[in-house]
C-alpha cells in the first residue's frame, strides 16, 4: 500500500519521527505518455506528463506540505502560515486540518483561481485577501513569523523543497533512468530547484546515469528571471505563477546552469494553446500555469532543439479543476434548446 512520500522515500529525506507524520498519501502520481500530442506536433521524442494534479489537494504542493507540517508538529507548533497564489494555501489548509492545527493564509485579492480559494475556505483556514500581489503577501508573512509562534510553510521552509524533490525520484523510478530534458513552470522557483536536487541526488547515489537539462518557463508578463530584474506588477492568465520576485531566484539559476538548461518565458496565448491541446489530445486537464511547461516544450520543438528519440518529461503542476473560469472562457459555450429530440439533433448536426 502507498503510504505517502515521507514513508516511501524515508532513507533519502531528512529524518522525521513516524509519530509526527501528517500525510494525505500524496505522491505516486502518474507519468503519462503523451503519444497524441507528439504525433500532432510531428516530433520524434518520448514525451511524458508528470501529472501532479492528481495529488490529494490537486497540486504538487502536497509533497512539500506533508513534510513542512509534520516538522511543524515535531517542533511543537500549533499553527502554520503562508502567502500564496492559491495552491500553497489550499495544501496548507488541508494538511493543517489533518494535523488538527491552525492555518493562516494571505492571498492577493481577486487573483486566486476559484477552486483554490474554496479549498482554503472549506478546510477552515483563516484567509486574508490583500489589495496587492503575491510578492507583497510574502513580505508580510515573513514579518509575521518574526513575532508569532507559527511556522512559515512557503518554499523558503527547507522541508518544502525536500518533499518536492521526490517527484524527480518517482520519474527516475518509473523510467529506469533520468530523462534527457525536464520541462517545468517557474513561479517562485522552488519546484525547479527541488527537482534539480532530486535528480542530482539520484545520480550521486548511482540510481541513474545522468541528470536532465532543466527547462523552466515563466509567463511572459511575469518573467523576472528571464528579464533579469524583479517585475513590479506581474500579469498573466496563469495566476499561479503571477510572481515578480521569486524567493528561489538564485537556486533556479543554479539549476539552469548546472544542468545546461534554460529559463525562458512563454506568452499567455502559448500557455492557453498548450492547455487546450493537453485537454483535447491527451484527456489531461491541468491548470494554465501547468501548461507553461508544455508551452515551453512546444517552443523548443519549433526551435528544433531535439534530434529525435530523446526522453522528455513535462511536469503538470496542478489540476485543471482548480480554475474552472479559465476553462469556460477558453471553450465553446454550450447551446441551450427546448427539451425536444429534434432541437438537440439540430444543434449536434446529426
Ligand atoms: C500550479 O501556491 O507559488 O516555481 O503560492 O501553483 O515552485 O513557485 C504556486 C506556484 C507552478 C510555480 N504551477 O512553482 C503558491 C505558488 C502551479 C503553482 C507553480 C505554482 P514554483
Amino acid at each position: 500500500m502507498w503510504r505517502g512520500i515521507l514513508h516511501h522515500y524515508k532513507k533519502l529525506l531528512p529524518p522525521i519521527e513516524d509519530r509526527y507524520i501528517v500525510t494525505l498519501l500524496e505522491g505516486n502520481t502518474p507519468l503519462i505518455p503523451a503519444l497524441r500530442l507528439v504525433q500532432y506536433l510531428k516530433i520524434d521524442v518520448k514525451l511524458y506528463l508528470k501529472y501532479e494534479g492528481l495529488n490529494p489537494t490537486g497540486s504538487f504542493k502536497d509533497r512539500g506540505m506533508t513534510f513542512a507540517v509534520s516538522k511543524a508538529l515535531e517542533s511543537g507548533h500549533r499553527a502554520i502560515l503562508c502567502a500564496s497564489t492559491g495552491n500553497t494555501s489550499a495544501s496548507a489548509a488541508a494538511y493543517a486540518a489533518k494535523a488538527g492545527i491552525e492555518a493562516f493564509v494571505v492571498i492577493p485579492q481577486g487573483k486566486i483561481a476559484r477552486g483554490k480559494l474554496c479549498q482554503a475556505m472549506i478546510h477552515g483556514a483563516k484567509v486574508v485577501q490583500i489589495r496587492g500581489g503575491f510578492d507583497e503577501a510574502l513580505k508580510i508573512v515573513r514579518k509575521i513569523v518574526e513575532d508569532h509562534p507559527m511556522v512559515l510553510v512557503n518554499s523558503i521552509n527547507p522541508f518544502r523543497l525536500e518533499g518536492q524533490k521526490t517527484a524527480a525520484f518517482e520519474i527516475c523510478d518509473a523510467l529506469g533512468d533520468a530523462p534527457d530534458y525536464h520541462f517545468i513552470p517557474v513561479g517562485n522557483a522552488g519546484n525547479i530547484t527541488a527537482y534539480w536536487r532530486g535528480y542530482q541526488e539520484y545520480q550521486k547515489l548511482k540510481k541513474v546515469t545522468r541528470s536532465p537539462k532543466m527547462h523552466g518557463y515563466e509567463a511572459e508578463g511575469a518573467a523576472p528571471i528571464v528579464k533579469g530584474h524583479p517585475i513590479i506588477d506581474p500579469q498573466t492568465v496563469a495566476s499561479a505563477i503571477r510572481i515578480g520576485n521569486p524567493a528561489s531566484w538564485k537556486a533556479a539559476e543554479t539549476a539552469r546552469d548546472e544542468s545546461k538548461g534554460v529559463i525562458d518565458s512563454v506568452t499567455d496565448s502559448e500557455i492557453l494553446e498548450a492547455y487546450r491541446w493537453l485537454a483535447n489530445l491527451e484527456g489531461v486537464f491541468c491548470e494554465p500555469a501547468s501548461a507553461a511547461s508544455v508551452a515551453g516544450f512546444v517552443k523548443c520543438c519549433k526551435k528544433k532543439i531535439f534530434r529525435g528519440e530523446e526522453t522528455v518529461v513535462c511536469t503538470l503542476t496542478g489540476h485543471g479543476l482548480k480554475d474552472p473560469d479559465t476553462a469556460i472562457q477558453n471553450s465553446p459555450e454550450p447551446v441551450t434548446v427546448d427539451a425536444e429530440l429534434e432541437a438537440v439533433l439540430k444543434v449536434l448536426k446529426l
Side-chain angles (χ1 to χ4, degrees):
M1 187 181 141
W2 179 260
R3 296 176 64 212
I5 59 133
L6 294 182
H7 288 293
H8 192 80
Y9 290 110
K10 198 171 195 62
K11 291 193 193 104
L12 304 176
L13 294 169
I16 172 87
E17 265 187 61
D18 277 8
R19 66 194 164 114
Y20 293 114
I21 291 180
V22 180
T23 178
L24 293 167
L25 309 185
E26 57 295 311
N28 197 23
T29 56
L31 189 66
I32 305 170
L35 300 174
R36 297 232 307 145
L37 184 57
V38 290
Q39 208 173 28
Y40 180 77
L41 295 169
K42 299 192 170 61
I43 185 88
D44 179 28
V45 302
K46 296 187 198 81
L47 177 65
Y48 295 90
L49 309 170
K50 181 65 171 165
Y51 191 21
E52 290 288 277
L54 293 192
N55 275 297
T57 78
S59 88
F60 72 97
K61 303 286 181 182
D62 296 344
R63 294 179 184 275
M65 205 55 70
T66 182
F67 213 170
V69 171
S70 300
K71 280 287 174 186
L73 282 192
E74 193 182 54
S75 61
H77 287 86
R78 305 299 304 168
I80 58 172
L81 169 71
C82 68
S84 183
T85 59
N87 280 324
T88 299
S89 63
S91 187
Y95 281 81
K98 181 78 176 175
I101 63 176
E102 267 193 300
F104 299 91
V105 313
V106 182
I107 56 175
Q109 187 223 348
K111 301 293 182 186
I112 299 288
R114 201 193 290 247
K116 304 174 189 180
L117 178 60
C118 79
Q119 285 179 287
M121 291 164 67
I122 197 70
H123 290 302
K126 288 220 172 82
V127 181
V128 184
Q129 310 193 75
I130 59 163
R131 293 184 202 94
F134 170 82
D135 302 293
E136 290 159 289
L138 186 59
K139 231 186 241 172
I140 291 169
V141 297
R142 279 185 193 252
K143 275 269 172 243
I144 295 175
V145 288
E146 285 176 12
D147 308 320
H148 294 84
M150 47 180 72
V151 173
L152 188 63
V153 296
N154 282 102
S155 54
I156 311 152
N157 180 316
F159 299 107
R160 278 280 311 278
L161 298 193
E162 283 295 315
Q164 284 171 216
K165 77 184 181 187
T166 60
F169 295 166
E170 287 178 15
I171 290 165
C172 296
D173 291 345
L175 295 175
D177 205 341
D180 296 298
Y181 289 87
H182 191 111
F183 286 76
I184 188 164
V186 173
N188 216 16
N191 214 24
I192 189 172
T193 305
Y195 269 85
W196 180 239
R197 188 184 297 172
Y199 282 125
Q200 288 218 292
E201 288 182 8
Y202 250 35
Q203 193 175 356
K204 274 193 205 109
L205 292 167
K206 299 204 162 43
K207 286 175 180 282
V208 291
T209 63
R210 59 187 181 198
S211 291
K213 290 185 168 60
M214 298 300 299
H215 274 241
Y217 289 86
E218 298 184 309
E220 192 176 75
I225 300 176
V226 176
K227 301 230 159 101
H229 57 80
I231 307 295
I232 302 301
D233 186 19
Q235 297 295 342
T236 170
V237 67
S239 58
I241 52 172
R242 191 172 166 272
I243 294 175
N245 192 9
S248 299
W249 188 322
K250 285 270 141 23
E253 289 183 332
T254 303
R256 174 196 64 194
D257 297 340
E258 288 181 355
S259 75
K260 301 192 174 61
V262 298
I263 296 179
D264 196 1
S265 61
V266 283
T267 65
D268 279 5
S269 74
E270 289 170 326
I271 288 171
L272 291 173
E273 183 178 55
Y275 171 70
R276 284 189 302 262
W277 282 346
L278 285 164
N280 290 325
L281 296 169
E282 294 295 341
V284 174
F285 187 24
C286 66
E287 63 173 287
S290 305
S293 61
V294 173
F297 168 72
V298 173
K299 194 169 175 178
C300 287
C301 290
K302 287 180 181 159
K303 285 189 185 162
K304 301 199 185 326
I305 74 161
F306 304 114
R307 283 172 314 201
E309 291 294 303
E310 290 97 334
T311 301
V312 179
V313 174
C314 293
T315 296
L316 301 180
T317 43
H319 202 290
L321 290 172
K322 295 272 191 177
D323 189 354
D325 296 320
T326 302
I328 288 168
Q329 281 159 22
N330 287 279
S331 311
E333 218 178 297
V335 179
T336 306
V337 297
D338 291 336
E340 285 164 7
L341 175 63
E342 283 307 313
V344 173
L345 287 174
K346 195 171 164 207
V347 171
L348 296 179
K349 298 198 172 75
L350 294 173

